[in-house]
Structures are given as C-alpha cells and as structure tokens.
C-alpha cells in the first residue's frame, strides 16, 4: 500500500510544481491546487495506511485489535478548508490582475525594480 | 492555569469581527481599533511579567492534557514578541488613522489589521506545530487583503506573486508537518522535542530540518529565497509596508528560533553551520541590494533582509550571549524598522513620492521628522548609545567568543554599508536643497507622535539596556535549555 500512494503523491506534486512554473496565471492557480491535494495525501499517509478498525469506543474499554489513527484526517480536513479559501482568493486575485494588466502572461507582471 | 495567554488572540478577533460591521463609520472604527489594541498591549505587558515571575505559561484548550489537545505555551521569547507586536501595531494604527485614504479605510482596513494581529499573536503563542501552520495562514490571508487593498495595478500583480510564493511555502510547511508526524507520531512541539532525538533514521531527521529551514526561510526572507520581499513591500502604502516590514518576516524568524532550539540543535548536526552561512549571506546580499536602490521604501525593504541576517546570526552561534543579542536585535529591529517606514509614509503623504531624486529639503519643511529619521537611521546602523548598538555588540561579542570570524567580519561590513545607505537617504531626501519645487503643507502632528513613540523606545532600549537585558537573557536561556518549556507543557501528563 505504501509504494502506490507514494507514487501518487510524487506524481501529483510534480505535476503541480510543473504547472506553478508555467507562465499563465490560471495554470499557476491550478498547479497550487494540485500541490495542496498531493500534500493532503501525504498527510493521510503519515498516519500509516492499512486495514484497522474505526477508532470509536462502543461502550467497551478498548478499541479492539488495531484502530487507525484519526488525527491525520482531522489535519487534512483543516488543510482542505484552508486550501479552499486560499484558492478562492487566488482565483479572484488572478481575475482582477488579469483585468487590470490586460494579459494572463506572467511575463507581463514584471514589476520594475529600478526607477519607474 | 489562567486564560491570559489566549487573550492576545481572542480580543483582536472579537474586535476584528465587530469592526466588520462598523465599516461605514471610520471614526468609530478608529476608536474601537485603537482601544482594543491598547487593551491587548496592557495584557501583553502583564503576560511578560507573569512569565518572568512564574515561568512558562501553558493553556490546554478544553482541558485536554498536553500531547493530545492543542496548547498555547508562552515562554519569554513568545511573550516579548507579543508585547513588541502590540507596541508597533498600536503606533502603526495611530499613524494609519490620519494617513489612509477614505476608500481604504472603508474597505475593511481595520478588520484586516486586527485579523493580522490574531495571526501574528497566535503564531507566537501556540505550542503545536499544526496550529502554527493555521495561524500562519490566518496572518497570510489578512496580509494578502492588506497588500491588495486599493487595487492599483502594481499592488495586484505583486500581491499575486506574494500569494503564490506563500501558498507554495505553506505547502512545504504541510510536507514538513506530515514528515514530522510520521517520524514522531505527535505534533505538540514540546512532545516532538522529547521524541525527536529518538528518531533512528538520521537521514529523515535531516530532511525534516531542511524542509523547515526552507519554509521559514521563505517566510522570513532569508538568503537565497528573499527575492519576493522588496517588490511586495513596495506595493502598498507605507503604513502597511511598515507593519509588514516590522512584523511579518519576524514571525518566520521566530518560528525558525523555535523549531531550531527545540528540535534540531544537538540532533541534526548541519543546521547551525548552514544557518551561519545563511546569516552572513543574507546580511551582505540584503545590504548590497539596498545600496543599488534609489527609493526610500525599496532601500528600507532591502535593509529588512540584511537585518534578518543579524537575527539568524544570533541563532547560528547559539550561546546565551549571542541568543540574547539575537532576541534584543529582533525587538530593536521591529521598533526601529517600523519607525523608518512610518517616516517614509509621512514623506509619501506630504510629498507624494519616496523616490530620493525627487525629494529634498525636508529639513526645512519638517525639522522634527528629519530629526526622527536621523536618530532611527543611526539606531538601525548601530551607533551608540542607541538600541542597535547594544544588540550588535552582543552579537559580535558572542561571535568572537565562538570564533565565527568570517560572520562577524560580514556583520561589521554590513553595519558600515547600512550607515552609508542611511546617510544616502538623509543626504538626498532631507539635507539637500529641494530638487523638485515643493509648496505643500507640512506633516500631520499625529504622524510625528506615533513615530516619536517608536524612536523614543529605540533610545530607551539603548540607554536602558541594563533594564531590558534580563528579559532577553531569560528568553535566551529558555531557548538553550528548553527543559522548563517541555516540563511546563507536558507536566500535567506526569501528574
């Protein structure tokens, strides 16, 4: 189970990074979205993967054989919400930038660092 | 257990929510924001005294015992950072009330300002690694809003770049969290500090160190990932740049202090040597960038980078003296750098530009502002008896004792070049005859008051170093020997 999920994480992160390095505003946004999904999978894998029982107490004192770790899921939930908010903001900002610059090419966004 | 540690987060949050509904009455917004800030300032001072007398303060949320629930753990460094945050944010807020245009005041400047403080204070106070990530996001999202406020073309394009680089570093932060969780099985920072030495795979521990140095290096604008800073901080009005320049990068520096002292020192051998190289390079490249600029705000932005090098120098040497110097430097820098940006803001508000070749003769129109800039510039360069001198003296003394001759040499060179660059601004903008005829009104007295508070504190911190130093020393000792921090957080578990 470990190797397949590692491959999925690696491919998602690589594709995301490739798109972040593109010159089009929208592709950068999509690339960041892909990367945050890849990291969410990584958080999922950090708790250990495998068949375990649900970590819920049903009246008895212990969880049974081997409960799965519930914490990574809580982390992922938080990370998804934050990622969602940031992506929404990023899309809005990309659209407003496109409107005011008149181009979606990042090369046009080169703020001059010297006299203007 | 008292609720004091959570108040610097809870009160600005409440104020921020209330201010959303007050957006149509700027005068009421100003009053509410200022009063809220001053209350939290008093609470922060109380927190510092509590930590000095009673040691590390811990608050377990929902009474969950330490490694399971989320904790706020406040040692001297955290408390000092919160206090100085509230000091500069109060001064900046006072400045903003008379400097911002009506449109920006009405488009949620005050709520965003308060939410930024929520994020900054939360980052300083939390004792949980994932919680630190969440507070970083809170402060970053507020900072995106503040940077883009006004929606000028330059602001929008720079905010987009700033957002992308920060989203990328947040992604890396989560990768670091996932790595550390899979290695230690905990996210409580004190608990990680206990379990980190037990990691059998030293290579993975090193990878965690690299990820966190990169993440906080991007947030704190260290060499070689500082290029985002000068452009982003040039975009907004000087009030907002001043707040960012004083506070935001220092959150990254604080986090680097925290994770290095708790996790990496003694466990990952290459961290301190790499940091000492980064410190020297950050100083030199930052100050060389500043020399090449001819705009006040850009020069000051590059100086932020070079001075972050000094803070990392204290961390890289890692002796009580150098760390106390580093903590002292952070506090000095937040006060003085914000003051300098506010001077640039006052110049921008009266003259309409901060470009050095289009300024001049400010000494005639506003002599007080000139004096304030002169003192703040000297403090930044490290002239005695001002605050920068004390901090740099401790850092260099600490460096020489540990034979870091190259880094101390770099810091001396950087100090001279900083002085040169401050004198360049002084000569062109203040001292020289007017290069472009100017016939506007003078500055606003309230602006001078807020700058005077910050510069005055810089002088007090230099002359009264004997009074301020014990606090920095306590912070440094707690960083070198985190056992008190760990015991305070995990103590309830042992009972």
């Amino acid at each position: 189970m470990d190797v397949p999920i590692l491959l999925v994480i690696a491919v998602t992160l690589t594709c995301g990074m490739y798109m972040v390095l593109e010159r089009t505003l929208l592709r950068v946004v999509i690339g960041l979205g892909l990367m945050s999904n890849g990291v969410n999978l990584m958080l999922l894998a950090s708790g250990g993967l495998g068949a375990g029982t649900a970590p819920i107490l049903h009246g008895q004192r212990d969880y049974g054989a081997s409960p799965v770790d519930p914490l990574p899921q809580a982390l992922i939930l938080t990370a998804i919400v934050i990622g969602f908010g940031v992506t929404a903001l990023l899309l809005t900002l990309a659209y407003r930038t496109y409107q005011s610059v008149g181009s979606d090419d990042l090369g046009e966004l080169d703020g001059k660092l010297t006299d203007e | 257990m008292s609720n004091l540690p959570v108040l610097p987060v809870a009160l600005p949050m409440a104020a921020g929510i209330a201010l959303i509904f007050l957006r149509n009455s700027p005068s009421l917004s100003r009053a509410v924001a200022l009063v809220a800030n001053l209350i939290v300032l008093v609470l922060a001072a109380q927190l510092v005294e509590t930590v000095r007398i009673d040691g590390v303060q811990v608050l377990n949320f929902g009474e969950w015992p330490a490694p399971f629930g989320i904790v706020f753990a406040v040692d001297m460094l955290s408390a000092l950072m919160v206090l100085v945050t509230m000091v500069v944010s109060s001064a900046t807020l006072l400045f903003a009330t008379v400097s911002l245009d009506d449109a920006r005041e009405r488009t949620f400047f005050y709520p965003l300002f308060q939410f930024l403080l929520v994020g900054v204070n939360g980052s300083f106070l939390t004792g949980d690694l994932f919680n630190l990530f969440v507070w970083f996001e809170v402060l970053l999202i507020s900072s995106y809003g503040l940077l883009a406020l006004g929606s000028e073309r330059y602001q929008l394009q720079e905010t987009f770049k700033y957002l992308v680089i920060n989203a990328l570093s947040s992604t890396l932060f989560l990768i670091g969290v996932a790595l550390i969780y899979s290695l230690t099985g905990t996210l409580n920072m004190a608990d990680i500090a206990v379990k980190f030495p037990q990691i059998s795979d030293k290579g993975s521990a090193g990878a965690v160190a690299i990820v966190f140095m990169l993440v906080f290096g991007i947030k704190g604008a260290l060499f070689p990932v500082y290029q985002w800073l000068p452009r982003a901080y040039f975009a907004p009005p000087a009030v907002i740049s001043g707040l960012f320049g004083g506070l935001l990068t220092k959150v990254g520096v604080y986090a680097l202090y925290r994770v290095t002292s708790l996790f990496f020192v003694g466990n990952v051998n290459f961290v301190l040597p790499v940091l000492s190289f980064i410190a020297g390079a950050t100083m030199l490249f930052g100050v060389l960038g500043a020399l090449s600029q001819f705009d006040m705000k850009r020069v000051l932005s590059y100086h932020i980078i070079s001075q972050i090098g000094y803070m990392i120098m204290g961390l890289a040497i890692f002796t009580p003296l150098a760390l106390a110097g580093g903590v002292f430097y952070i506090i000095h820098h937040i006060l003085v750098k914000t003051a300098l940006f506010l001077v640039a803001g006052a110049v921008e508000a009266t003259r309409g530009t901060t470009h050095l070749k289009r300024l001049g003769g400010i000494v005639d129109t506003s002599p007080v502002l000139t004096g304030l800039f002169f003192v703040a510039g000297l403090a930044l360069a490290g002239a005695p008896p001002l605050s920068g001198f004390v901090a740099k003296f401790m850092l260099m003394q600490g460096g020489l004792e540990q034979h870091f001759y190259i880094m101390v040499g770099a810091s001396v060179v950087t100090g001279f070049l900083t002085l040169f660059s401050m004198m360049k601004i002084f000569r062109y903008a203040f001292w020289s005859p007017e290069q472009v005829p100017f016939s506007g009104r003078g500055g606003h007295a309230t602006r001078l008051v807020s700058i005077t508070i910050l510069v005055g504190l810089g002088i007090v911190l230099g002359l009264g170093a004997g009074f301020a130093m014990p606090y920095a020393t306590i912070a440094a000792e707690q960083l070198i020997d985190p056992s008190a921090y760990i015991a305070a957080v995990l103590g309830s578990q042992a009972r």
Side-chain angles (χ1 to χ4, degrees):
Chain A
M1 196 59 180
D2 277 355
V3 175
I5 193 119
L6 271 179
L7 280 177
V8 173
I9 293 168
V11 169
T12 318
L13 283 179
T14 316
C15 294
M17 194 67 226
Y18 182 81
M19 291 191 80
V20 169
L21 297 175
E22 289 273 324
R23 285 173 62 120
T24 314
L25 283 175
L26 201 57
R27 287 192 187 158
V28 174
V29 179
I30 296 172
L32 282 171
L34 264 181
M35 284 188 82
S36 75
N37 285 339
V39 173
N40 288 342
L41 284 176
M42 199 167 163
L43 282 172
L44 187 71
S46 75
L49 296 168
T53 53
I56 300 169
L57 284 173
H58 292 292
Q60 68 270 47
R61 299 288 295 173
D62 65 307
Y63 294 110
S66 58
V68 293
D69 186 352
L71 188 72
Q73 293 158 31
L75 302 185
I76 293 169
L77 202 59
T78 315
I80 288 175
V81 172
I82 292 176
F84 170 74
V86 171
T87 309
L89 187 64
L90 197 56
L91 278 171
T92 320
L93 194 66
Y95 183 61
R96 286 287 285 117
T97 312
Y98 168 70
Q99 277 185 326
S100 78
V101 178
S103 159
D104 68 344
D105 187 352
L106 279 168
E108 304 281 318
L109 298 191
D110 183 29
K112 298 278 184 295
L113 203 53
T114 48
D115 301 0
E116 54 222 80
Chain B
M1 193 186 298
S2 89
N3 283 323
L4 188 58
V6 79
L7 292 178
V9 173
L11 282 179
M13 194 182 284
I17 293 169
L19 285 165
I20 293 176
F21 299 103
L22 298 176
R23 63 175 290 211
N24 283 322
S25 71
S27 53
L28 193 58
S29 290
R30 288 174 203 145
V32 170
L34 271 174
V35 169
N37 248 57
L38 290 177
I39 292 174
V40 182
L41 174 62
V42 173
L43 289 172
Q46 194 191 342
L47 190 60
V48 170
E49 271 313 288
T50 316
V51 171
R52 185 177 69 86
I53 295 164
D54 296 339
V56 181
Q57 297 290 306
V58 179
L59 178 64
N60 294 330
F61 286 102
E63 294 285 333
W64 287 93
F68 305 113
I70 289 174
V71 296
F72 268 15
V74 193
D75 65 355
M76 191 45 107
L77 179 63
S78 312
L80 284 176
M81 295 300 285
V82 172
L83 178 63
V84 73
T85 299
M86 294 322 296
V87 171
V88 294
S89 63
S90 303
T92 316
L93 198 58
L94 188 64
F95 191 93
T97 54
V98 293
S99 303
L100 276 187
D101 46 295
D102 194 51
R104 282 195 172 89
E105 275 194 312
R106 282 174 192 272
T107 40
F108 302 114
F109 170 76
Y110 294 107
L112 284 170
F113 189 97
Q114 295 296 325
F115 288 131
L116 185 81
L117 291 181
V118 172
V120 171
N121 287 343
S123 309
F124 290 147
L125 295 171
T126 187
D128 184 282
L129 202 58
F130 192 76
N131 201 228
L132 181 67
F133 164 77
V134 175
W135 291 124
F136 261 113
E137 289 304 307
V138 171
L139 82 88
L140 284 173
I141 290 174
S142 320
S143 76
Y144 305 147
L146 285 172
L147 265 184
L149 209 61
S151 302
E152 290 158 20
R153 179 193 151 156
Y154 192 80
Q155 281 187 307
L156 288 172
Q157 69 181 43
E158 294 311 318
T159 309
F160 184 81
K161 295 180 209 166
Y162 176 79
L163 212 168
V164 169
I165 186 109
N166 276 301
L168 204 61
S169 82
S170 298
T171 309
L172 283 170
F173 196 162
L174 275 182
I175 291 179
V177 168
L179 282 175
I180 224 164
Y181 187 71
S182 49
L183 285 169
T184 62
T186 179
L187 289 172
N188 180 299
M189 289 205 263
D191 205 23
I192 297 173
V194 174
K195 292 189 174 141
F196 204 87
Q198 299 159 12
I199 296 173
S200 51
D201 184 357
K202 291 298 170 206
S204 302
V208 172
I210 292 172
V211 170
F212 277 105
M213 279 201 282
L214 184 58
V215 170
F216 298 133
I218 294 176
K219 310 265 189 210
L222 299 178
F223 175 83
V225 279
Y226 60 77
Q227 286 88 347
W228 59 269
L229 188 143
R231 290 157 188 254
Y233 284 14
F234 182 74
V239 193
I240 296 172
S241 319
L243 187 72
F244 284 16
L247 293 180
L248 292 199
T249 48
K250 260 53 72 182
V251 183
V253 173
Y254 162 84
L256 197 58
Y257 265 64
R258 181 65 73 206
V259 296
T260 307
S261 74
L262 278 180
F263 310 160
F264 302 139
V265 169
N267 298 320
V268 185
N269 294 328
F270 62 80
V271 167
L272 291 183
V274 168
L275 280 180
S276 68
F277 169 75
I278 289 175
T282 310
M283 282 178 216
L284 283 177
F285 282 93
V287 83
L288 290 177
L291 289 178
S292 71
Q293 295 299 322
F294 256 93
D295 188 290
M296 219 167 144
K297 273 159 76 180
R298 287 196 207 274
V299 172
L300 292 175
S301 302
Y302 269 105
H303 277 298
I304 297 176
I305 299 166
S306 93
Q307 272 130 23
I308 283 164
Y310 284 97
M311 301 165 199
I312 302 304
M313 176 179 171
L315 179 63
I317 299 169
F318 213 75
T319 59
L321 181 66
L323 273 175
V327 173
F328 204 92
Y329 201 97
I330 295 176
I331 293 165
H332 140 79
H333 171 91
I334 293 177
L335 294 171
V336 170
K337 178 57 78 184
T338 311
L340 285 169
F341 265 105
L342 293 186
V343 171
V347 170
E348 189 181 47
T350 50
R351 299 294 180 106
T353 178
T354 50
H355 197 280
L356 291 180
K357 288 190 175 156
R358 291 197 280 275
L359 290 169
I362 297 177
V363 69
D364 295 325
T365 49
S366 35
V368 181
L369 191 66
T370 310
L372 289 171
F373 177 84
F374 188 71
V375 175
L378 284 182
L380 194 75
L386 302 165
S387 53
F389 169 74
V390 183
K392 284 189 183 175
F393 182 80
M394 288 165 75
L395 284 172
M396 287 176 193
Q397 176 90 12
L400 289 177
E401 280 175 6
Q402 299 296 314
H403 312 290
F404 284 95
Y405 297 118
I406 298 175
M407 190 161 58
V408 173
S411 73
V412 173
V413 173
T414 307
F416 275 115
L417 293 178
T418 308
L419 185 64
F420 174 77
S421 156
M422 286 299 123
M423 288 307 112
K424 182 172 89 180
I425 296 180
F426 188 70
R427 202 182 84 72
Y428 276 95
F430 295 91
W431 201 244
S432 72
E434 284 174 28
Q435 295 161 64
V436 177
F438 168 73
S439 57
R441 59 197 166 83
H444 201 296
T446 314
R447 295 196 190 114
L448 294 181
V449 171
S450 63
I451 302 171
T452 311
I453 294 170
L454 295 176
V455 174
L457 281 171
I459 299 173
V460 169
L461 212 57
L463 290 176
F467 168 74
M469 199 51 69
Y471 294 91
T473 313
I474 295 174
E477 279 161 3
Q478 285 173 342
L479 283 171
I480 293 230
D481 178 16
S483 57
Y485 180 90
I486 295 168
V489 174
L490 298 178
S492 51
Q493 183 197 26
R495 238 184 289 130

